[in-house]
């Protein structure tokens, strides 16, 4: 197994050695901003409960562009969530 270390926003470095990849992998080919988060992780990122996020999706209160995988699984793009936070920040 090769070594894969990824730096995401600032000084946070995560080591993914031996998890999914064999050999060396160049992460410049991938856009880490478009990682998909499940509802629980997205809710934590937004500091709301998963239930609140589900209500927002159901009522279309905010268009977070949920991605449906099958009949139950929902994912959110990190880049969309970051834009939402920036747009709804209060000074």
């Amino acid at each position: 197994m090769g070594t894969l270390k990824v730096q995401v926003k600032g000084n946070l470095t995560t080591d993914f050695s031996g998890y999914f990849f064999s050999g060396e992998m160049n992460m410049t080919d991938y856009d880490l901003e478009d990682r998909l988060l499940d509802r629980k992780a997205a809710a934590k990122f937004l500091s709301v409960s998963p239930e609140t996020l589900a209500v927002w999706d159901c009522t279309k209160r905010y268009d977070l562009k949920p991605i449906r995988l099958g009949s139950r699984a929902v994912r959110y793009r990190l880049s969309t969530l970051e834009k939402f936070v920036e747009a709804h920040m209060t000074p």
Side-chain angles (χ1 to χ4, degrees):
M1 295 284 169
T3 300
L4 175 65
K5 290 189 178 182
V6 179
Q7 183 171 2
V8 181
K9 295 229 178 203
N11 296 327
L12 175 66
T13 301
T14 304
D15 184 358
F16 291 99
S17 301
Y19 279 88
F20 306 106
F21 310 106
S22 59
E24 295 295 319
M25 184 173 184
N26 184 357
M27 287 303 290
T28 58
D29 297 336
Y30 298 90
D31 186 0
L32 292 177
E33 295 299 310
D34 280 339
R35 287 183 294 172
L36 296 178
L37 302 178
D38 63 10
R39 182 169 279 150
K40 185 176 179 181
K44 185 174 183 179
F45 180 82
L46 296 174
S47 299
V48 298
S49 72
E51 293 79 14
T52 297
L53 202 51
V55 169
W56 288 355
D57 288 346
C58 183
T59 62
K60 310 280 191 237
R61 179 169 184 175
Y62 300 110
D63 185 19
L64 297 176
K65 299 177 177 56
I67 300 168
R68 307 255 181 245
L69 304 173
S71 61
R72 302 186 89 185
V74 178
R75 300 292 184 266
Y76 301 87
R77 292 192 186 282
L78 180 58
S79 58
T80 302
L81 299 177
E82 289 175 334
K83 289 175 188 173
F84 174 81
V85 168
E86 288 176 17
H88 290 85
M89 286 178 49
T90 55

